[in-house]
Amino acid sequence: MAELPRVLIVDDSKVVRASLAQHIKTQYEVREEADGDAAWQTLVLDQSIRAVVSDLQMPKMNGYELLERLRTSRLRRLQQMPFILVSGEETEEERGKARGLGASDFITKGSGAIEVLTRLGNLLALQQAQENLDSGREQMVQNPATGLFTRKYLELQAAQALSHSARHGIDVSLMVLGFDGYEVLTHKLGPALAEEVGNRFAKMLGSKMRQEDSLGHIADGRFAVVSPGTAANYCVSFAERVRQAVEASRLSVQGQSLGLTVSIGLASVPTDLVSSAGALLELAEQRMLQAMQAGGNRTEAGGSLPATRPISLQHALELLRANRPGPVMAHLDALLGQLTPLLALMEKEMGLDLPIEQIECYLSERAKAKK
């Protein structure tokens, strides 16, 4: 059964929240908050909320302030979110102020279920119509902001690759890359700067691809690569190189040094049993989301290959130069094992008094403990 649209009810009165929830719970999933400040935090983090029903008079942040936060937000979904104010004894001047701030509609306290459902239904229908108009841009071959292929065109490229694969028995791989915490990044920097970060990433990614690969911009902060003739294990190797390059990089944005990570999902044919290009893309997206939900900064390949692997000495040094020791900590044993032959050579040729035997003993004991 399809999930119900989620509506946030904001009121400092538990009785009012319960009454409103009772009116709409047959057609909507309800989330509640008791003040505007808590509601704002919820709206930033919970991307599933489709509309807000809010009182005007509340502690910490009133309805006017919450509405103004939404309409001046850097997140487009909050700017356009339907916002219904629950009006009690407010004057016409106060209601005019709310309209000026961008209130979508008003209901009076004590309104019946039919009125509340009608107002919500009308606003969400208008929002859906606008989203359908916006989605028409996906029919274009190139994304106007990045110049990369659109999602629709990328699916066509994947469909051609699958057709070729069926005739000649070759592999096709598709990976979806998404910035971890992109909505928070957009809220912090603003859409324009967040988009610039994405464009820099796309240029880096494009420089590492083969000519026969297709790179697309499929959603905010998300990119996809179709790789004809590439088996799953080779695609994972490429994905890991990209992930590590992003992890080690530091971008300068408005004078600030910015550390980013990406989560990557991969799907391949014939390894994965999918019947269409759309299904291949959706499977890669699902795996990317799984990687994000597992903590981010990782590659999920559906179990065909390990999602994580030991980092190289070069990558470890890049992370340390970027003042990011955290990702290196889990790999210290493996890195020490790689360094031991070099340290032994230094001891022999340079006459250094290095504890080689102690290091080898330590590594041996650690290896036994892990068995």
Side-chain angles (χ1 to χ4, degrees):
M1 187 168 62
E3 293 184 2
L4 297 176
R6 179 174 290 185
V7 173
L8 176 64
I9 296 176
V10 193
D11 199 297
D12 57 336
S13 168
K14 188 174 182 179
V15 174
V16 173
R17 296 200 307 272
S19 175
L20 287 169
Q22 184 69 26
H23 286 333
I24 69 173
K25 69 178 184 180
T26 57
Q27 296 185 30
Y28 299 95
E29 182 183 344
V30 176
R31 181 160 181 174
E32 300 179 23
E33 295 294 353
D35 62 76
D37 185 57
W40 169 248
Q41 300 300 325
T42 295
L43 286 164
V44 170
L45 296 174
D46 190 344
Q47 301 178 39
S48 67
I49 294 174
R50 300 294 308 280
V52 181
V53 180
S54 174
D55 190 19
L56 271 177
Q57 307 304 324
M58 297 182 295
K60 296 186 180 179
M61 183 190 299
N62 62 37
Y64 291 126
E65 294 167 330
L66 177 60
L67 175 57
E68 187 174 16
R69 280 277 188 95
L70 261 70
R71 296 302 182 243
T72 58
S73 170
R74 292 172 172 175
L75 299 177
R76 188 177 178 185
R77 67 178 177 86
L78 297 184
Q79 295 172 8
Q80 300 179 345
M81 184 173 289
F83 193 106
I84 299 177
L85 277 169
V86 181
S87 177
E89 300 178 354
E90 287 76 30
T91 65
E92 191 60 36
E93 181 181 351
E94 289 172 321
R95 292 176 67 130
K97 176 182 177 182
R99 288 193 194 93
L101 290 172
S104 307
D105 206 345
F106 298 87
I107 56 173
T108 57
K109 288 185 177 178
S111 295
I114 294 177
E115 182 178 358
V116 178
L117 287 171
T118 299
R119 303 290 178 105
L120 269 173
N122 289 340
L123 288 172
L124 287 173
L126 285 172
Q127 185 187 44
Q128 184 63 54
Q130 182 60 52
E131 289 176 356
N132 290 340
L133 286 173
D134 292 341
S135 69
R137 291 178 296 178
E138 292 187 357
Q139 301 300 321
M140 295 183 294
V141 170
Q142 288 183 306
N143 182 294
T146 63
L148 303 178
F149 292 137
T150 62
R151 182 190 188 96
K152 191 70 177 178
Y153 188 75
L154 204 66
E155 281 190 35
L156 293 176
Q157 295 289 92
Q160 291 178 2
L162 289 178
S163 177
H164 187 72
S165 169
R167 291 197 306 271
H168 301 284
I170 60 174
D171 297 80
V172 176
S173 292
L174 191 153
M175 67 179 185
V176 174
L177 309 92
F179 284 112
D180 298 316
Y182 186 75
E183 281 231 337
V184 177
L185 178 70
T186 302
H187 180 67
K188 178 181 178 181
L189 300 179
L193 282 177
E195 186 176 283
E196 180 186 334
V197 170
N199 289 342
R200 291 193 204 177
F201 170 74
K203 288 180 180 177
M204 181 274 290
L205 184 57
S207 69
K208 297 179 179 295
M209 287 169 34
R210 305 173 306 167
Q211 189 173 0
E212 58 266 39
D213 294 337
S214 298
L215 171 62
H217 184 192
I218 61 172
D220 290 343
R222 294 185 185 177
F223 301 84
V225 178
V226 177
S227 297
T230 303
N233 56 338
Y234 289 106
C235 195
V236 172
S237 297
F238 174 59
E240 279 294 289
R241 289 198 300 272
V242 171
R243 184 192 63 76
Q244 292 174 2
V246 175
E247 181 184 37
S249 66
R250 303 294 295 186
L251 289 179
S252 178
V253 179
Q254 289 187 330
Q256 300 180 39
S257 182
L258 189 65
L260 299 172
T261 60
V262 292
S263 291
I264 305 175
L266 287 95
S268 300
V269 171
T271 305
D272 294 303
L273 302 178
V274 296
S275 57
S276 68
L280 187 69
L281 178 56
E282 287 178 6
L283 181 58
E285 282 188 291
Q286 289 172 12
R287 288 173 176 169
M288 180 209 67
L289 292 174
Q290 289 172 11
M292 286 184 173
Q293 291 164 3
N297 190 27
R298 64 192 67 204
T299 299
E300 173 56 57
S304 59
L305 287 173
T308 58
R309 60 185 61 186
I311 63 175
S312 66
L313 280 171
Q314 180 181 353
H315 184 50
L317 292 172
E318 288 173 349
L319 288 168
L320 294 176
R321 281 194 290 268
N323 196 28
R324 299 178 66 185
V328 180
M329 301 298 291
H331 304 279
L332 290 180
D333 284 359
L335 292 170
L336 183 57
Q338 294 178 53
L339 276 173
T340 301
L342 177 61
L343 294 175
L345 180 62
M346 288 181 172
E347 182 186 39
K348 177 181 178 182
E349 297 298 326
M350 302 172 69
L352 300 176
D353 186 19
L354 297 176
I356 303 301
E357 291 185 6
Q358 184 179 347
I359 292 173
E360 291 176 340
C361 181
Y362 167 82
L363 291 174
S364 177
E365 291 298 322
R366 293 283 288 179
K368 290 178 183 177
K370 290 179 181 178
K371 289 182 180 180

